[in-house]
Amino acid sequence: MMRTLTIGAVVAMALSTATITASAQNPFITNQFTADPSAKVFGDRVYVFPSHDIPAPDGRNLRKDWFCMEDYHVFSSENLVDWADHGVIVTQNKVPWVKPDSYAMWAPDAIERNGKYYFYFPATPKDSTIGRGFTIGVAVANKPEGPYIPEERPIKGVRGIDPGVFIDKKDGQAYLYWSQGNLYGAKLKANMLELDSEVFTLKDFPKEGLKEGPYVFERNGIYYMTYPHVENKIERLEYAISDNPLGPFQFKGVIMDESPTGCWTNHQSIIQFKDQWYLFYHHNDLSPKFDKNRSIRVDSLFFNADGTIQKVTPTLRGVGLTNAFREIQIDRYSHIGGASIDFIDTSKRFDGWKTTFAKAGDWVRYNSVDFGNKKAGSVTVRVKSEAGALLQVSTKENIIIAEGAVAPKSGWNDVIIPVKSMPKGVSDLIVTLKTGKGVDVDWIRFN
């Protein structure tokens, strides 16, 4: 699955210092490992502040089987489809209080107040007078993409990881949450740099199993505390509610079940953007055999009439409309029948995935493709077929858009098939292998 690295001219001018890294579908960042996504709406864009997994460098006395993180990037999008990488905003060896080369820049969070942007991150201090173990620092910027200037010292009185920050719109009070065995919370001063209350151990959460990653949001007067919890062997996403930002909280249910493939961790944030709610989370899509190198995802989230959250089923398709005249990565399908997905090159996993049609009748369905009012004369299929095949592209209403032969040929080739019938507006697409076997497809694109 090769990513289209283009974006509209207006947005490109506005983001001239950023690099366009990915399109829609899950995971939505595919040129690096990312985890623990903290999503925020600033203005008319969504900004995501994740942690940045990397393989442990050689010669640094680091565990090869553990998490390794040295810096943070920030990504943004105006449509949840085209994501821009604004580059590194904080790195371990440029924070005054952080132990050099500690590679422990774990899950962060960020928020805006009075035109300033505050980025909260955990790390291990180099100075024993600060304390042992993780604590939490702050970096401040005038724009959400930075540059961020780290404070000289971490927040006094905080010991732990996974900071989450929340401002109550009711009275403007800010709160900081974190985890360290239990979930903790405290008020923040207006300067967003110091605690303004005692530290509260948040109550009525499960006593057994790891709890971490506290993230709070408010909807219709209800305060939702969301968090990962190991109920059995790996984390699932749960939530509890309260009428107070510091609880006590009442357990309400599961937002997302445990990973079906065994990824040990998950980490969440929830936002409303353009009248729709979204859950950001992570999985190990780009590193299926090593779940300490993860990738961030997004799916739609819905509420019941009583305010409870409907459980989210993870998808590969993700969210947003896909432009029919750009590469459509059908391996990020919404439904599948018979076909299978694998990496294009297992030694170069950032190159993405391919769809393999093993036999005639295999198909994949890809939803929400936007044709607008344009007309296409052909569809290009990036395909590999040594034996030859007949491929069909149709709508969910069984209208054949294009059908054409793929000549037997080694290696990847771009095959152009004439369009018979052109959809208008938004449509689902179904790609079917009519005859042949062992056919690989990277992407399709209308021309």
Side-chain angles (χ1 to χ4, degrees), residues 14-170:
L15 301 173
S16 58
T17 61
T19 300
I20 307 306
T21 62
S23 298
Q25 302 110 29
N26 284 327
F28 63 90
I29 302 299
T30 57
N31 68 343
Q32 59 190 272
F33 296 119
T34 49
D36 313 313
S38 172
K40 300 290 179 178
V41 179
F42 297 141
D44 59 357
R45 297 184 69 83
V46 173
Y47 289 80
V48 176
F49 300 81
S51 53
H52 182 197
D53 291 337
I54 61 172
D58 294 329
R60 297 297 178 90
N61 196 30
L62 296 169
R63 289 175 56 179
K64 296 290 187 179
D65 62 345
W66 196 239
F67 304 102
C68 185
M69 310 170 188
E70 65 178 335
D71 58 30
Y72 299 99
H73 288 236
V74 60
F75 302 86
S76 76
S77 175
E78 65 172 1
N79 55 14
L80 302 183
V81 174
D82 302 293
W83 288 91
D85 182 356
H86 298 279
V88 174
I89 57 171
V90 173
T91 187
Q92 61 182 1
N93 292 334
K94 293 186 179 180
V95 179
W97 59 270
V98 170
K99 180 181 178 182
D101 298 326
S102 52
Y103 292 92
M105 309 293 277
W106 288 13
D109 199 8
I111 205 162
E112 181 272 337
R113 182 155 207 167
N114 297 328
K116 295 281 188 180
Y117 297 86
Y118 298 86
F119 178 74
Y120 298 79
F121 59 95
T124 53
K126 63 182 179 182
D127 188 340
S128 61
T129 62
I130 295 175
R132 301 183 65 181
F134 279 91
T135 187
I136 292 168
V138 190
V140 185
N142 293 320
K143 298 185 295 184
E145 63 270 26
Y148 283 84
I149 306 301
E151 293 293 302
E152 291 290 327
R153 306 280 285 185
I155 302 173
K156 186 177 180 180
V158 177
R159 290 285 179 271
I161 60 172
D162 297 350
V165 62
F166 167 73
I167 298 176
D168 192 349
K169 64 182 181 183
K170 179 176 64 178

Side-chain angles (χ1 to χ4, degrees), residues 146-278:
Y148 283 84
I149 306 301
E151 293 293 302
E152 291 290 327
R153 306 280 285 185
I155 302 173
K156 186 177 180 180
V158 177
R159 290 285 179 271
I161 60 172
D162 297 350
V165 62
F166 167 73
I167 298 176
D168 192 349
K169 64 182 181 183
K170 179 176 64 178
D171 58 10
Q173 177 62 56
Y175 297 84
L176 181 69
Y177 304 91
W178 65 96
S179 60
Q180 188 72 16
N182 293 302
L183 303 182
Y184 300 93
K187 292 182 178 180
L188 280 171
K189 291 184 178 180
N191 65 12
M192 304 299 286
L193 305 175
E194 302 171 87
L195 298 188
D196 198 27
S197 74
E198 63 180 296
V199 174
F200 296 90
T201 302
L202 304 182
K203 297 180 180 179
D204 298 328
F205 291 97
K207 293 182 180 180
E208 302 296 326
L210 175 67
K211 302 176 295 295
E212 56 182 359
Y215 181 91
V216 171
F217 69 96
E218 180 271 338
R219 178 181 180 270
N220 295 340
I222 299 173
Y223 298 92
Y224 294 77
M225 167 63 77
T226 68
Y227 57 95
H229 172 224
V230 179
E231 174 70 14
N232 296 301
K233 293 183 178 180
I234 61 177
E235 290 183 340
R236 68 184 189 186
L237 300 181
E238 301 177 355
Y239 76 105
I241 64 171
S242 177
D243 59 2
N244 187 293
L246 290 172
F249 290 90
Q250 177 188 6
F251 175 80
K252 274 296 179 182
V254 176
I255 302 172
M256 179 174 283
D257 288 328
E258 293 91 342
S259 160
T261 60
C263 183
W264 175 45
T265 65
N266 203 346
H267 193 108
Q268 77 299 333
S269 60
I270 294 173
I271 62 167
Q272 185 181 26
F273 182 61
K274 298 182 179 179
D275 299 322
Q276 174 61 52
W277 288 85
Y278 297 96

